[in-house]
Amino acid sequence: MYLNILENKERILKRFLRQEEFLMQRNPGQKALAVLLSLCFILTMVSPLDARESRHRAVSSDYLVGAGIYDITGPAAEVIMMGYANPEQMTGGIHTRLRSRAFIIADPASGQRVVLVNADLGQIFAVVKKGVIQKLKAYYGDLYDYDNVLITATHTHNGPGGYSSYTLYNFSILGFNKQNYDCIVDGIVKSIQQAHDNLEPGSILVNSGKCEGTTINRSLPAYLMNPAEERARYRDDVDKSMILLKLVDSSGSPIGMINWFAIHGTSMGKDNLLISGDNKGYAEYLFEKEMGTDYGADKTFVAAFAISSAGDVSPNIYGGQEGYGANDFESTAYAGRTQFQTALELFDSASDRVRGNIDYRHQFVDMSAVQIDGFFTDRDDQSTVPAAVGYSFAAGAEDGPSDLPFFHEGMTQDDYSQKSWLGAVQRLIGLVPFFGPVVGTLNSELWELHDPKPVLFSTSQGVPDPWTPDVLGVQVLKVGQITILGLPSEITTMAGRRLEESVAEVMDAVSADGIVVIASLANGYAQYVATPEEYMAQNYEGASTLFGKYTLPAYIQIFHGLAAAIVNDDEVDPGVVPRDPANYRATLQPPVVFDAVPLGKKFGQLVNDVRSEYSRGEEVEAVFRAGHPKNDLKTQSSFLRVERWEEDQWVPVAYDWDWDTIFRWKRTNLALGYSQAIIKWQTNDLTPPGEYRIVHEGSYKLLTGKIKPYSGTSSTFIIE
């Protein structure tokens, strides 16, 4: 007993020091105080880790539960990123890898099961879910389908793009990227397969709390358009609640965790060129590091940080693009660590059991033509309208402005009428056949339908296919008293509150203590959902609400109906799976032609070597002659290893997914095919002294098309 307590206290000391590591690096003078506080904490407190291992030991099993995780990082060089629509933001290395995290929950009595997937991506596009479902059907028949598989994105803006089937989302990325698409679909499927293979008797615990200090409402003028009496019901102008599910096996040992919290993945700005999971990716990394996750194992602990009503919620707490810290890395670390610490507290204290049946409903809906009952609009019957984006869409949001001249948030039709020359510019653009059908001035009938939105692009009028989706998958999952709403858009704070309240009123009939959570960016992507009042402001969110002023009431009506179908055990019309646009695989992205090194040099050879000695806190750097990262994505592997000499062998201590490493790739001569890999490792006050080296691995492409692997190793160096 005493030995177990000592072991757990050693573990919690390590955890406490890791949580202080970021502070120590910024202010080394506080190290002694931090260590002293840590020791006091160990001597006076009962370790939460003790409780984590014993509180639910030998519990009865309510469900079958399983978890899986797989790499979906994609091409780490020369692919434009998805999120900021910045053609200059092209991948040039890796800070943290992207992963798909999957959970399966099954009712052994009824056989019903659901799949929850959270992927480190900017968005989930319908073509991605379609590819996943097709592969799952090939393996499992009808066991997994559109109706019981929910796939969401963390909304990082720092991953490679080109995996949509719609023109608007591939336009700035120069088209479809099959390599990235295949990596994403295959990785999601493999994470689900792991979860399937790992199914075992277990239970689910639920907890909720507030995550403070890391979010602001980036579109406050629009939020203030909502009724004062409605706003007065809430303390905050953003939703700070975190809902957490803890999955444990029959012995009480944790196998996974998923939570939902509203925050945008924009801590890393639009100038960053390194692939990053942003703040949620860092929170996942910290939680999995805490739990000893092995990314190469078929069965390991999985922690997913999913997104809820974050449409107007920014991590840049000082406004605009300014987050906590001196740079994007510090801002990301702060927002990620805050979420991690809140989740860990909720995880350790979770005690309420999830109990009840599993059920689900899914429906494909043409969102461009939903007839809305007046009950859901608080006035006459209304309808949604064909998709279009407004002028403020081109301005970008406060935490990711486009910096395009002549565009600003809040541009209404009145503003447009005062700038008549804008219409002339639009008509000139419309002379280009590719743009002609979608230019706003050539679709005057949509202006009245979208009033007060001045229509920049009539995306629904694209030829031969729309530039944005019209038919979207809408989904409700019920697991015991938990109801999860799969919404294929980003939804603002107040819009999310209204949607959750509407569904909660329905679900109260079967679960008085029920919890309703929005899982946004789910199964497809149709931009934003603002309240009708926020829509009138025509900020970025309203201008990006594709289907007009009554988009939110339409969704409320649809989700209300799906929830009622679950309560009443009714069937729903599943709708028709939307077809993919005809030319979605078109691309202007060039392939890798060949790689080369100067005469007499070799791939993997050092350009700049490490020094022989470093002190703790210094950054180690080595530069190698490299091949293109597209030649081998290193899926489930790494472009780098930091190794330490231990017991007569080299032992890896860091990889390219670790927070303290950077793999950066750059071309040095385009015509000759020369490039370099720059490997960086940031040491800190906790880095063990010893002998180290850096290893880089990659592949190069010959003119014949053949791809060959290579590796390079730095000289050894000492950490004092």
Side-chain angles (χ1 to χ4, degrees), residues 107 110 112-114 147-148 356-361 476-480 482-484 507 565-571:
D107 183 346
S110 67
Q112 297 281 70
R113 63 180 61 199
V114 294
D147 52 359
N148 67 340
N357 70 315
I358 291 175
D359 209 344
Y360 42 82
R361 295 293 186 276
V476 176
L477 305 181
K478 178 185 178 295
V479 180
I482 312 299
T483 302
I484 304 170
M507 300 307 295
I566 289 177
V567 170
N568 299 321
D569 197 24
D570 292 335
E571 297 296 322

Side-chain angles (χ1 to χ4, degrees), residues 256-554:
M257 178 280 299
I258 182 170
N259 70 67
W260 292 267
F261 174 68
I263 188 172
H264 246 81
T266 51
S267 294
M268 298 294 291
K270 62 183 180 180
D271 297 324
N272 169 61
L273 304 181
L274 298 175
I275 292 176
S276 168
D278 210 275
N279 55 68
K280 285 194 178 291
Y282 185 48
E284 291 166 332
Y285 168 80
L286 288 174
F287 209 110
E288 287 165 350
K289 188 174 181 180
E290 171 70 22
M291 300 301 294
T293 297
D294 180 354
Y295 292 122
D298 291 332
K299 183 176 183 180
T300 190
F301 183 90
V302 179
F305 283 69
I307 196 169
S308 56
S309 303
D312 53 1
V313 182
S314 174
N316 298 320
I317 57 178
Y318 297 126
Q321 301 175 74
E322 298 298 320
Y324 180 93
N327 53 52
D328 286 354
F329 293 98
E330 292 188 8
S331 298
T332 302
Y334 172 77
R337 186 175 294 278
T338 303
Q339 292 175 76
F340 157 69
Q341 290 172 337
T342 301
L344 189 62
E345 291 170 4
L346 295 176
F347 184 86
D348 284 338
S349 60
S351 59
D352 292 342
R353 293 276 285 273
V354 176
R355 287 191 173 93
N357 70 315
I358 291 175
D359 209 344
Y360 42 82
R361 295 293 186 276
H362 180 281
Q363 193 170 43
F364 285 108
V365 180
D366 183 353
M367 286 300 299
S368 69
V370 178
Q371 300 302 309
I372 312 165
D373 190 281
F375 174 80
F376 297 98
T377 65
D378 294 328
R379 58 187 70 192
D380 298 335
D381 294 353
Q382 298 290 341
S383 68
T384 55
V385 295
V389 296
Y391 269 73
S392 296
F393 165 75
E398 289 85 345
D399 54 0
S402 67
D403 299 325
L404 292 174
F406 315 121
F407 293 97
H408 62 83
E409 284 201 276
M411 292 183 72
T412 64
Q413 291 183 18
D414 288 340
D415 296 315
Y416 178 89
S417 65
Q418 299 173 21
K419 299 179 177 67
S420 58
W421 56 270
L422 281 175
V425 173
Q426 270 200 304
R427 286 189 290 273
L428 184 62
I429 295 173
L431 295 176
V432 180
F434 178 73
F435 291 102
V438 300
V439 167
T441 52
L442 302 182
N443 293 278
S444 57
E445 71 281 359
L446 289 182
W447 286 61
E448 181 177 355
L449 295 175
H450 281 268
D451 184 58
K453 178 194 294 179
V455 177
L456 178 64
F457 291 126
S458 307
T459 58
S460 57
Q461 307 305 305
V463 175
D465 294 290
W467 281 27
T468 55
D470 45 17
V471 177
L472 293 156
V474 185
Q475 186 176 32
V476 176
L477 305 181
K478 178 185 178 295
V479 180
Q481 69 269 37
I482 312 299
T483 302
I484 304 170
L485 312 182
L487 177 75
S489 294
E490 304 177 54
I491 188 168
T492 64
T493 300
M494 192 63 81
R497 288 166 174 165
R498 293 182 191 177
L499 176 56
E500 288 178 346
E501 287 181 358
S502 174
V503 173
E505 290 175 359
V506 178
M507 300 307 295
D508 279 349
V510 292
S511 181
D513 61 344
I515 296 174
V516 178
V517 60
I518 292 175
S520 60
L521 296 146
N523 303 323
Y525 185 66
Q527 292 177 236
Y528 278 74
V529 180
T531 69
E533 296 86 350
E534 293 165 349
Y535 183 87
M536 299 301 290
Q538 279 301 294
N539 274 11
Y540 176 76
E541 296 80 14
S544 303
T545 298
L546 292 181
F547 305 108
K549 180 178 179 180
Y550 296 102
T551 300
L552 174 62

Side-chain angles (χ1 to χ4, degrees), residues 4 60 82 96 103 299 302 307 313 320 322 358 464 559 669:
N4 289 337
S60 59
M82 184 67 223
T96 58
F103 307 92
K299 183 176 183 180
V302 179
I307 196 169
V313 182
E322 298 298 320
I358 291 175
F559 278 106
N669 190 309

Side-chain angles (χ1 to χ4, degrees), residues 564-587:
I566 289 177
V567 170
N568 299 321
D569 197 24
D570 292 335
E571 297 296 322
V572 298
D573 180 1
V576 179
V577 178
R579 70 179 183 86
D580 296 322
N583 300 320
Y584 83 87
R585 289 182 179 270
T587 184

